[in-house]
Amino acid sequence: MKSRRNTFDFKIAPKKELAYFIGATMGDGYLSPNRVVIFGVKDKDFMDEFVRSSKRIIKFANPEQPKISNDNSLVIICCTDFYKWFYKESEDKVKIPSFIMNGTKPIKINFLNGFLDADGGITKCGRYIQLFQKNLIRLNMVYDLCKNLNIKTSKIGSLFNKKNNKSYGYFYIYTKQFKKLGGKFSIKRKQERLNIKIKTKKRQKRV
């Protein structure tokens, strides 16, 4: 008897959910050598959104999948079809797939939502979302994506972390344009901070 397996078909997968899933995976995911996608997460609301997205794009043979670790810190997705497609399209999670870079505005925004859920943080002043990346190819592609969406950003900078002896690239995204285009966080604490800061700025302008 042939065993059931999880399947993925790019042609029928809902593209907005797929874009979010890829953004989150490129931020906090890992492609293991045994063709498994491992997603590390700290926030439960982020994990829930990631799992919901995975169930929209992947047909799981078992309703209890994807597998979640006992400490609720990892989501493990076994789907050879998705792994092969994503590995090829992203060149081992280095580049953003072309269907996103050349896609519609909602697809690009959903990718940013997933990616910034993983790697974005709002500055203390509330005007910017800061983004740091070791992978400069990926960072430059995210930067180009923002420019294509007419989201105002800073220039790309670089810094060296003496603690881990690694170099990082970074840039800042203006929160106002990001939210205006439908950008949002699935992580409640980040979204609340975004909303509060934007409302505070509006009140200040009226004074």
Side-chain angles (χ1 to χ4, degrees):
M1 182 177 177
K2 190 176 180 179
S3 61
R4 298 169 64 195
R5 66 184 183 89
N6 303 329
T7 58
F8 166 78
D9 186 345
F10 173 74
K11 293 180 180 179
I12 63 173
K15 299 302 184 288
K16 289 196 294 184
E17 284 83 353
L18 179 58
Y20 177 88
F21 182 83
I22 289 173
T25 301
M26 294 192 83
D28 280 346
Y30 168 67
L31 300 182
S32 72
N34 57 344
R35 296 183 176 181
V36 172
V37 177
I38 300 174
F39 179 73
V41 63
K42 296 179 181 178
D43 297 271
K44 187 179 183 303
D45 37 11
F46 188 16
M47 180 183 72
D48 290 343
E49 185 63 28
F50 183 81
V51 169
R52 276 194 295 269
S53 297
S54 73
K55 290 181 177 180
R56 290 294 308 279
I57 66 171
I58 294 172
K59 186 177 180 181
F60 291 103
N62 187 327
E64 295 182 359
Q65 294 178 325
K67 184 179 179 181
I68 300 173
S69 63
N70 293 331
D71 61 356
N72 291 320
S73 65
L74 295 175
V75 180
I76 303 166
I77 295 176
C78 303
C79 182
T80 303
D81 293 345
F82 176 79
Y83 185 97
K84 287 181 177 179
W85 175 86
F86 185 49
Y87 188 95
K88 180 180 178 181
E89 288 292 317
S90 66
E91 298 184 21
D92 193 12
K93 214 177 73 123
V94 172
K95 295 183 177 180
I96 301 172
S98 59
F99 93 90
I100 295 171
M101 294 301 296
N102 302 323
T104 62
K105 186 179 292 185
I107 287 175
K108 292 174 181 176
I109 286 293
N110 273 272
F111 170 83
L112 283 179
N113 288 344
F115 194 76
L116 294 176
D117 265 342
D119 283 351
I122 301 175
T123 58
K124 289 183 179 180
C125 69
R127 293 183 64 193
Y128 314 103
I129 299 169
Q130 56 189 1
L131 178 60
F132 290 86
Q133 272 283 306
K134 290 182 290 184
N135 187 309
L136 296 182
I137 294 175
R138 188 188 306 152
L139 183 75
N140 275 277
M141 293 187 80
V142 175
Y143 181 82
D144 290 342
L145 200 66
C146 289
K147 291 298 182 183
N148 183 265
L149 289 166
N150 293 318
I151 297 176
K152 190 176 180 182
T153 69
S154 69
K155 293 182 179 179
I156 294 178
S158 61
L159 58 85
F160 182 76
N161 190 325
K162 293 181 180 180
K163 291 183 179 180
N164 57 20
N165 202 36
K166 291 181 180 179
S167 296
Y168 294 82
Y170 70 91
F171 70 91
Y172 296 90
I173 297 170
Y174 280 66
T175 56
K176 186 176 181 180
Q177 282 100 343
F178 173 68
K179 189 177 180 184
K180 189 176 180 180
L181 287 170
K184 61 182 179 180
F185 293 103
S186 69
I187 299 174
K188 186 178 179 181
R189 60 181 175 83
K190 288 187 178 182
Q191 184 62 30
E192 286 180 346
R193 183 171 172 81
L194 182 68
N195 290 338
I196 291 172
K197 289 297 180 181
I198 288 178
K199 289 177 181 177
T200 301
K201 283 166 57 183
K202 286 182 178 179
R203 285 199 297 268
Q204 289 173 346
K205 285 183 178 180
R206 291 170 186 168
V207 174

